[in-house]
Amino acid sequence: MGRVSESTDLAGWKHVYSGKVRDLYERADGSASDTLLVVASDRVSAFDHVLSPGIPGKGELLTTLSLWWFDQLDVPNHLVADHELTASGELTEVIPPRFAGRAMLVKKLEMFPVECVVRGYLTGSGWKEYLASQSVCGIPLPEGLSNGDRLPEPLYTPAYKAPMGEHDENISFEQSIELVGEADATALRDLSLAIYAEASALAEKRGVILADTKFEFGRDAATGLITLADEVLTSDSSRYWDATAYATAETAEGRMASFDKQIVRDWLAANWDQTGTPPELPNSIVEKTAERYRELLTRLTA
């Protein structure tokens, strides 16, 4: 699995890690050791591979959407002020100009090794499992559901966050208790379901369906609070559909008209057998994905 960085050390900041999409920096002089700079790149990933080319403007679009959602949600989050006073009393921007618009200054947290997935609709890997066993992540479901159907109630289906280079693994709620303890596992579940309910209701008012999403949480060492971290409710971490298309389309594919990187996943699934190096994305897919990312941001935040 590729780990690619478009970034190197720069004045005042030390590059410490690159994931598939984001790069992390800390202060080079060791000051503010409890904070990180999280930079969203234009890289795009699918099936655990970083693809080429990236999606122009994606990093800024996703950062803008994350910041907007953090502002909407009444839960503790990891953001810290990205301006500070100089010795002379002047207000100065902390985020380097090079990363303006696509970076967040955040508090370091003790991250839970659980990815908190909430599914409101039957789709993706959940649909495949339902066809095989009439269940999703081991949770039984009623007969007769179709691809894209709304579930009787949102499902919390956690995953174990595997070490770098390995695949995350779907786990049961009981297994999440073994990982983090009953109190924290219950809090993660309840927080995830509550955030999903709030966000999906807000999205529906704007003509958008939040089909599923994933959250990451950590504990703030200073306060002890479980805190929402990473990106939140973006086109990379969520499935968003057009509500009008969902209500009127005659096919499953039509009603799941996507505002997320499902466009990339679908093209890749049809043009790659998931062995070797993924093929380069055609310009039409890159442009369509960027357009849908922009449209989602406009719909939600306008």
Side-chain angles (χ1 to χ4, degrees):
M1 175 169 58
R3 296 277 173 175
V4 180
S5 173
E6 64 178 340
S7 308
T8 56
D9 293 353
L10 67 161
W13 295 92
K14 178 183 177 182
H15 176 234
V16 294
Y17 173 78
S18 285
K20 292 191 292 292
V21 173
R22 283 175 295 281
D23 303 307
L24 301 184
Y25 293 79
E26 58 186 18
R27 299 287 185 112
D29 61 4
S31 65
S33 59
D34 61 340
T35 61
L36 287 171
L37 185 68
V38 180
V39 181
S41 73
D42 290 346
R43 301 190 297 271
V44 63
S45 69
F47 304 115
D48 278 326
H49 284 75
V50 177
L51 309 175
S52 180
I55 308 298
K58 173 176 173 284
E60 185 169 350
L61 289 167
L62 265 58
T63 299
T64 302
L65 189 55
S66 274
L67 292 172
W68 183 82
W69 274 117
F70 279 128
D71 194 46
Q72 306 305 307
L73 301 171
D74 188 23
V75 294
N77 65 61
H78 66 163
L79 295 177
V80 298
D82 56 12
H83 291 74
E84 58 188 21
L85 288 174
T86 65
S88 62
E90 296 180 356
L91 196 63
T92 183
E93 174 73 52
V94 176
I95 294 174
R98 170 179 172 180
F99 298 142
R102 59 189 182 99
M104 300 183 293
L105 193 65
V106 306
K107 182 179 293 187
K108 289 182 181 179
L109 303 173
E110 300 165 0
M111 297 300 294
F112 291 100
V114 177
E115 193 170 71
C116 299
V117 180
V118 181
R119 306 168 189 259
Y121 290 74
L122 185 60
T123 189
S125 62
W127 169 241
K128 293 179 182 177
E129 183 181 339
Y130 177 81
L131 288 176
S133 63
Q134 201 181 304
S135 65
V136 171
C137 295
I139 302 171
L141 291 174
E143 293 182 1
L145 297 179
S146 299
N147 191 12
D149 278 359
R150 188 170 192 159
L151 294 168
E153 60 183 19
L155 299 181
Y156 176 68
T157 59
Y160 168 62
K161 289 169 60 178
M164 186 176 69
E166 300 180 20
H167 294 282
D168 292 347
E169 175 188 354
N170 290 335
I171 58 176
S172 66
F173 176 67
E174 289 70 26
Q175 287 173 304
S176 75
I177 291 176
E178 294 175 8
L179 284 172
V180 301
E182 184 171 6
D184 286 341
T186 300
L188 292 175
R189 179 195 63 192
D190 294 350
L191 265 172
S192 298
L193 289 169
I195 295 170
Y196 175 82
E198 181 180 354
S200 60
L202 193 156
E204 284 185 18
K205 292 178 181 177
R206 290 160 168 77
V208 176
I209 290 172
L210 176 60
D212 58 41
T213 193
K214 59 185 178 182
F215 304 111
E216 295 193 27
F217 296 91
R219 189 182 305 282
D220 186 329
T223 65
L225 291 175
I226 294 177
T227 301
L228 184 60
D230 200 60
E231 63 179 344
V232 61
L233 295 159
T234 70
S235 309
D236 270 14
S237 65
S238 315
R239 280 188 176 91
Y240 284 102
W241 300 336
D242 184 297
T244 299
Y246 186 85
T248 59
E250 297 180 356
T251 66
E253 292 76 13
R255 69 175 182 161
M256 293 185 286
S258 172
F259 290 108
D260 51 67
K261 67 176 181 180
Q262 191 63 40
I263 298 165
V264 171
R265 293 191 199 100
D266 289 345
W267 183 87
L268 208 57
N271 293 276
W272 182 50
D273 62 3
Q274 297 192 40
T275 61
T277 302
E280 186 161 307
L281 298 174
N283 288 337
S284 60
I285 294 297
V286 171
E287 292 168 3
K288 183 178 180 182
T289 302
E291 179 183 343
R292 296 294 275 180
Y293 277 38
R294 288 192 295 269
E295 183 178 350
L296 175 67
L297 180 64
T298 299
R299 282 215 193 181
L300 288 176
T301 64

